[in-house]
Each structure stands twice: as structure tokens, then as C-alpha cells.
Amino acid sequence: MANATIQLQNQSINIQTVPGSGLIRVILPETDNCFYNPASGLFSAAPIADGTTPDLITHHLPELKQKLNEFDANRRAEIARYNQFSAAL
């Protein structure tokens, strides 16, 4: 499981990979976690108590997706480099 922090609208958002799933857990402040699937570009989010979508997702969705996709691409590149190095041994 990889842990990281991304900056979004002057807030630090903690994220984690979910082993074996390809999903990224997004730990939003003051609400339930949501999950992002980089392969589909879709979020799976548990609604907050009043049934609304957290403002951070609603108002900053393109920026949040971009940052999560960048994180996923970097993570996948690191895994590929590690596998290439391991295969060379």
C-alpha cells in the first residue's frame, strides 16, 4: 500500500492505494473516504450524512482527477522500473 499527500485548493489530501484493486482511496477532510478508479476515471464515494457530495469533489473534480491520475502514473512507472531492475538481476 502506497501512501501520499496531494495539494488541492490549499488543502492537503491524504491518499492510499488499495492493494490488488487498482483503486486509490481519497481521505477527504470531515467526510467518509471515497475511492478513485484511474482506469475508468470514476469515483465511488459514500455520501455524507445529508446525502450530498463533498464540495471538494463537486467543485474541484477535474483538478482532483488530474492529480490522482498523475499519482497513479508515477506509481505505475516506479513499479515498472522495479520490475525491470528485478528481471535484470
Side-chain angles (χ1 to χ4, degrees), residues 22-36:
L23 299 176
I24 299 172
R25 178 180 304 178
V26 181
I27 304 165
L28 297 167
E30 301 176 14
T31 188
D32 290 335
N33 299 336
C34 68
F35 298 87
Y36 178 67

Side-chain angles (χ1 to χ4, degrees), residues 69-81:
N69 286 331
E70 288 171 3
F71 169 78
D72 186 60
N74 290 335
R75 181 184 67 84
R76 290 180 186 277
E78 286 296 319
I79 291 169
R81 277 193 287 278

Side-chain angles (χ1 to χ4, degrees), residues 6 8 13-16 22-28 31-47 53-71:
I6 59 174
L8 183 66
I13 306 296
N14 293 318
I15 59 176
Q16 299 174 330
L23 299 176
I24 299 172
R25 178 180 304 178
V26 181
I27 304 165
L28 297 167
T31 188
D32 290 335
N33 299 336
C34 68
F35 298 87
Y36 178 67
N37 184 340
S40 68
L42 299 174
F43 281 92
S44 171
T53 303
D55 285 343
L56 196 60
I57 291 178
T58 303
H59 298 298
H60 307 291
L61 184 60
E63 183 182 0
L64 179 58
K65 279 187 169 185
Q66 176 188 352
K67 289 181 182 279
L68 292 171
N69 286 331
E70 288 171 3
F71 169 78

